[in-house]
Amino acid sequence: MAETKNSRFPIYAVIITVIFKLLFLLTHYIQEDAFITWRVAQNLLDYGVIGFNGDTKISASTTHLYVFVSYIFNLIFGKENFIEPLLIFNSILFTVGTLFLSHLVLRNPWHKAVFIFLMGILPPAVKISILGMEYGILFFLEMVLLYYGFHKGKRWVLTLLPVLIMFTRIDTVIFLGIVFVVDVLWNRKIRWNYVFGGILGVLSTVAFNWFYFGELVNNTITAKKLLYEQTFTFEQHISYFLVSFGNFWGMMKLPGNFNPVTIIVLIFELLCFIYLIRKREKRNYFLWMIFIFGWTKQIIFISQKSLFDWYYWVPQLLLFVPVLIFVLEQKQKRNLWLSLLIVFYILPMLAFQAVHSIATGNGEWNYRRTIGLFLNTYEKDKNQWILLEPAGYVPYFSGLKTIDEVGLVDKKIQEEIVKDKTHYWINTVKTRKPKYLLSYKNLYEGDHADSLYYQTHYKLLKEFRVKDHLQSDYKILEKIYHLKPSGTDYNLYIRVD
């Protein structure tokens, strides 16, 4: 009876962890790009087309599977009420994924329960759960693949899951490839079901892109590469890496170029991993998979100048797994080790994420969302266009047709970037004549010819300032808002001719 009760500890931990993380929903910290995916889902609902602006097809979202999941939630709960149920769903999926991971690397039910909770309250885990991105479903699918496919040997899982994983994000080919290599080296044989599943995953994703959108890879990849690509010398590459890795390899995104905490944690993660793999145990098979994947994904994305922090959430967590195992399995002074880990790392990380979520949620939900709500009320004709960056909150809450300056949701601006990358913004304004411009800067200043054009054809409609949204009836919240003000000042212009 006691053994049955103990075996339920991990399930209880899943429930407790999900409930605990639901507190973060109160911060309204939702990632900008989530609203791009959700608008694509609603565009599918309204027009029957995967797009962003009416019946024009475009892969504006990085994830196809999550678009369909979001579509279903919109269908069930309605456009006004789907967000909270979807975020709860994401949190549940991610936490169940940590349950499967605990089964792969731990034996003791109590250890599994502690593992699930501690991993679930780390900053990347909180963000995966409540920011509205596709990583909750992605982490769940990846852990299902490892647990049921490679641990339980379910052949249908080895075939089906790579398809779903690739359809969630195309860059998961890195994860699938690392798992394949480690499996072959460990078992000295090839799982042909998995090979077939991988091939099917690549072909189905590429075929969907080609036959539906007329492109091999998602438009988001093409757009970012076109606008952000630069030529670097070897020295510049090294300098860029040293500037960037601290913020994206660790779990804290701190201001400045150097994050010493990251280096300390990286070294400890590596030492714990080496300690655990000294003996050939079955769980090391999975430790090799997740650890090599973590390092590989980090190195590839940092080397490609990928500065969006959500690319690093899953690797950050997987690289930290050996630390949790090491601490939980200490035979002597385990409580001391665990207390030190919680007091000096887990709790500070949780506090850091709480402050970050409150401040950023204020900057996004209470500030940037108000711009969209203002436009939604001010402009009744939803066929009017706005040129802006980024394409999340404001387009979603305004309902206006959108040109974003990166080209994620509108391909025509990419043509202007190809023609004249330096002047593509003003050229787009002159060619497309959008009714609204939302800019970080004062368009009446700068290049004389450009500023003269803006003064002639556009008037300043409203200024939006971060400083106007740093107040709260609760003094603690107000202090946090001032401690870490989040957002960007904007000027909204309207065409006068």
Side-chain angles (χ1 to χ4, degrees), residues 47-78:
Y47 297 93
V49 170
I50 300 175
F52 198 87
N53 295 309
D55 58 1
T56 302
K57 295 178 180 179
I58 186 171
S59 53
S61 172
T62 55
T63 169
H64 297 321
L65 182 62
Y66 191 49
V67 165
F68 291 120
V69 171
S70 301
Y71 168 84
I72 292 171
F73 271 78
N74 271 274
L75 204 60
I76 295 172
F77 296 97

Side-chain angles (χ1 to χ4, degrees), residues 325-337:
I325 299 172
F326 171 79
V327 172
L328 288 170
E329 292 189 346
Q330 287 300 304
K331 291 183 173 60
Q332 296 179 346
K333 299 182 179 179
R334 178 192 299 132
N335 291 339
L336 176 62
W337 275 96

Side-chain angles (χ1 to χ4, degrees), residues 165-339:
I165 289 170
M166 282 287 293
F167 212 62
T168 305
R169 283 192 66 92
I170 199 168
D171 56 41
T172 52
V173 68
I174 300 171
F175 174 81
L176 297 173
I178 294 297
V179 168
F180 172 76
V181 171
V182 172
D183 179 60
V184 171
L185 294 177
W186 186 276
N187 294 306
R188 300 291 192 269
K189 65 177 182 179
I190 296 176
R191 299 180 194 252
W192 292 107
N193 295 80
Y194 184 59
V195 173
F196 177 71
I199 294 172
L200 192 62
V202 173
L203 290 179
S204 60
T205 305
V206 171
F208 180 78
N209 281 340
W210 179 255
F211 288 108
Y212 193 86
F213 299 110
E215 58 197 18
L216 291 177
V217 297
N218 296 34
N219 175 68
T220 52
I221 298 174
T222 304
K224 291 173 183 176
K225 182 178 176 60
L226 180 63
L227 186 63
Y228 296 142
E229 189 173 46
Q230 300 181 52
T231 302
F232 285 87
T233 64
F234 178 76
E235 290 76 13
Q236 287 174 323
H237 278 294
I238 297 299
S239 176
Y240 197 96
F241 175 81
L242 293 175
V243 167
S244 305
F245 91 99
N247 279 343
F248 297 102
W249 213 309
M251 293 184 189
M252 290 194 301
K253 192 175 180 182
L254 297 176
N257 296 340
F258 182 69
N259 184 346
V261 177
T262 297
I263 298 175
I264 296 170
V265 174
L266 271 177
I267 294 172
F268 194 51
E269 288 172 347
L270 188 58
L271 291 176
C272 290
F273 175 73
I274 294 171
Y275 175 85
L276 293 174
I277 62 168
R278 291 176 309 157
K279 296 180 181 179
R280 184 180 172 87
E281 295 183 18
K282 186 176 181 180
R283 67 129 175 248
N284 291 348
Y285 166 57
F286 296 106
L287 283 178
W288 277 107
M289 286 179 179
I290 64 176
F291 206 72
I292 293 177
F293 162 69
W295 277 83
T296 304
K297 175 80 180 283
Q298 299 284 58
I299 291 172
I300 289 175
F301 273 71
I302 289 178
S303 69
Q304 295 303 307
K305 316 297 182 298
S306 301
L307 296 185
F308 304 107
D309 63 337
W310 50 88
Y311 294 143
Y312 305 91
W313 293 342
V314 173
Q316 286 165 0
L317 289 171
L318 294 181
L319 288 175
F320 198 71
V321 167
V323 175
L324 291 174
I325 299 172
F326 171 79
V327 172
L328 288 170
E329 292 189 346
Q330 287 300 304
K331 291 183 173 60
Q332 296 179 346
K333 299 182 179 179
R334 178 192 299 132
N335 291 339
L336 176 62
W337 275 96
L338 189 58
S339 299

Side-chain angles (χ1 to χ4, degrees), residues 28-138:
H28 294 295
Y29 178 24
I30 301 175
Q31 179 61 43
E32 184 91 29
D33 285 49
F35 285 100
I36 297 179
T37 297
W38 295 342
R39 171 146 163 172
V40 171
Q42 291 177 356
N43 199 85
L44 178 60
L45 191 67
D46 294 337
Y47 297 93
V49 170
I50 300 175
F52 198 87
N53 295 309
D55 58 1
T56 302
K57 295 178 180 179
I58 186 171
S59 53
S61 172
T62 55
T63 169
H64 297 321
L65 182 62
Y66 191 49
V67 165
F68 291 120
V69 171
S70 301
Y71 168 84
I72 292 171
F73 271 78
N74 271 274
L75 204 60
I76 295 172
F77 296 97
K79 294 180 181 179
E80 302 298 325
N81 304 305
F82 83 96
I83 293 179
E84 285 77 12
L86 182 55
L87 297 183
I88 294 170
F89 178 71
N90 286 344
S91 186
I92 292 172
L93 283 186
F94 170 78
T95 312
V96 172
T98 64
L99 172 66
F100 291 139
L101 180 56
S102 73
H103 290 331
L104 296 175
V105 296
L106 293 165
R107 297 188 184 94
N108 187 303
W110 176 246
H111 291 173
K112 293 178 182 180
V114 176
F115 174 90
I116 291 166
F117 183 74
L118 293 184
M119 189 170 181
I121 63 174
L122 288 170
V126 172
K127 289 183 280 192
I128 286 174
S129 299
I130 60 100
L131 261 68
M133 301 287 279
E134 65 270 18
Y135 288 93
I137 190 170
L138 179 60

Side-chain angles (χ1 to χ4, degrees), residues 118-157:
L118 293 184
M119 189 170 181
I121 63 174
L122 288 170
V126 172
K127 289 183 280 192
I128 286 174
S129 299
I130 60 100
L131 261 68
M133 301 287 279
E134 65 270 18
Y135 288 93
I137 190 170
L138 179 60
F139 186 82
F140 171 78
L141 293 173
E142 290 175 341
M143 294 306 109
V144 168
L145 173 65
L146 295 185
Y147 182 71
Y148 284 106
F150 289 91
H151 180 62
K152 294 291 187 180
K154 304 291 184 183
R155 294 184 178 181
W156 67 270
V157 173

